[in-house]
Amino acid sequence: MSIVDLEPLADLRAQFPSAAGYLAACTVGLPMNATRRAVTADLCGTPDIAAYSRAVEASRAHLADLVGVTADRVAIGSQTSVQVALLAATLPDGADVLVPEDEFSSLVLPFVHAGRGIRVRTAPLSRLADAITADTDLVAFSLVQSACGHVADLDAICDAAAAVGARTVCDATQAVGWMPVDAGRVDALLCHAYKWLCCPRGVAFLVLSEDYARTLRPVQAGWYAGDDPWASCYGGGADLAACARRFDVSPAWQAFVGAEPALRAFAAADVHAVHAHTTGLAARFRAAVGIEEPETATAIVTWLDPDGADLARLQSAGITASGRNGRARVAFHVFNDADDVERAVAALGR
């Protein structure tokens, strides 16, 4: 699809206010008009607990649609690191965990500090599959790397892990919203929705295979993990939900009120059209500034900028970008267009 062919994305793009110069969806997404209206209406009205619960369950269903699973496979939360800690708590003593070098810390630190002799090894993302051995118990990796935007070789990693019986934990926070994602490929998939899904911060999801879920202990169980949350508010005798809801934490109500319309819009959109548009813009930017194309198309572009000079040029030109791990970083989302590419190229003077 041509990057100027926006017709398939018209409905989704219409949900956003002007986004000129905003190239930071990989840091935090822009709120949709529908999200602004929903949050404002809630704050200006009387709290409606039943409506909050409907927003949570609808959000769960939308995320399930986005990653190709049923809603009973999805647990809700507020932070990725807390959900990763749940997985770390069930690892056997002395377990071997493999992660990519320079992986986002929320996916790594819960394993590092789990204690009980759990070992965390690192390998370059491009060789992660080769670093899986018979001793590996779990491989945790981001589908799209935060620091550099590179896309993991999902098939190679999953095949190598399956060959030795290792679990796979994939953080798709930097992927869901601009590229097709199949949660059925991994044992656990995580997604904090405030980036590419443009939700308020505090809406996170953990998607579990049925087999993996059976091995996990609901160490963070609270009232919302009950089979009937409203009957689970007191005491310790509540029956927990029989599905992934047993791993729910109490939802941040207002955040889910704002998240539901955004998740609904992305679930209804043509994700292949979004992928073609975003990666097409990124490719045009790379070609204009002389950055080599990665092996797998990605909507995030980074380049070495150790002194922050390029990031400062972008910011001086009114462009919202970011710097991570000694690199400048821009991201192209559905609300961006070719004018954003040209503006960024001009700001860099290349």
Side-chain angles (χ1 to χ4, degrees), residues 16 26-27 32 37 74-75 81 85 118 137 149 177 183 205 212 229-230 245 253 285 315 337 346:
F16 292 94
C26 55
T27 302
M32 290 183 176
R37 290 193 297 268
V74 181
S81 58
I118 292 173
D137 292 286
F205 300 94
Y212 194 23
W230 299 106
R245 284 202 307 105
W253 282 329
F285 176 80
Q315 292 173 334
D337 57 27

Side-chain angles (χ1 to χ4, degrees), residues 185-257:
R185 294 288 287 114
V186 294
D187 292 296
L189 182 135
L190 301 135
C191 179
H192 201 159
Y194 73 100
K195 295 180 183 285
W196 297 89
L197 289 170
C198 300
C199 295
R201 185 172 170 85
V203 174
F205 300 94
L206 171 63
V207 185
L208 295 166
S209 69
E210 293 181 0
D211 174 65
Y212 194 23
R214 283 193 290 269
T215 72
L216 301 176
R217 292 182 290 110
V219 294
Q220 296 158 179
W223 71 278
Y224 210 78
D227 185 52
D228 176 1
W230 299 106
S232 306
C233 296
Y234 303 100
D239 292 328
L240 297 187
C243 61
R245 284 202 307 105
R246 71 163 65 98
F247 305 112
D248 282 1
V249 298
S250 182
W253 282 329
Q254 281 75 25
F256 274 92
V257 166

Side-chain angles (χ1 to χ4, degrees), residues 156-203:
I157 294 169
C158 290
D159 289 347
V164 298
R167 297 290 187 182
T168 48
V169 175
C170 176
D171 186 345
T173 296
Q174 292 285 8
V176 183
W178 70 265
M179 67 178 289
V181 175
D182 179 8
R185 294 288 287 114
V186 294
D187 292 296
L189 182 135
L190 301 135
C191 179
H192 201 159
Y194 73 100
K195 295 180 183 285
W196 297 89
L197 289 170
C198 300
C199 295
R201 185 172 170 85
V203 174

Side-chain angles (χ1 to χ4, degrees), residues 21-81:
Y22 191 83
L23 301 179
C26 55
T27 302
V28 58
L30 289 178
M32 290 183 176
N33 293 327
T35 292
R36 296 172 187 269
R37 290 193 297 268
V39 173
T40 299
D42 176 68
L43 293 176
C44 293
T46 301
D48 185 339
I49 304 300
Y52 295 154
S53 293
R54 289 194 296 271
V56 171
E57 295 313 315
S59 296
R60 190 195 310 269
H62 298 324
L63 190 281
D65 288 342
L66 278 161
V67 299
V69 298
T70 53
D72 62 332
R73 297 262 308 276
V74 181
I76 62 103
S78 299
Q79 297 94 19
T80 297
S81 58

Side-chain angles (χ1 to χ4, degrees), residues 3-4 20-21 23 280-289 313-314 317 319 330 332 336-350:
I3 64 172
V4 297
L23 301 179
L281 291 174
R284 175 178 285 195
F285 176 80
R286 289 190 196 91
V289 299
R313 293 186 184 97
L314 292 168
I319 295 168
V330 295
F332 297 93
N336 296 118
D337 57 27
D339 289 342
D340 290 310
V341 175
E342 294 173 8
R343 186 175 177 183
V345 172
L348 293 172
R350 299 181 186 175

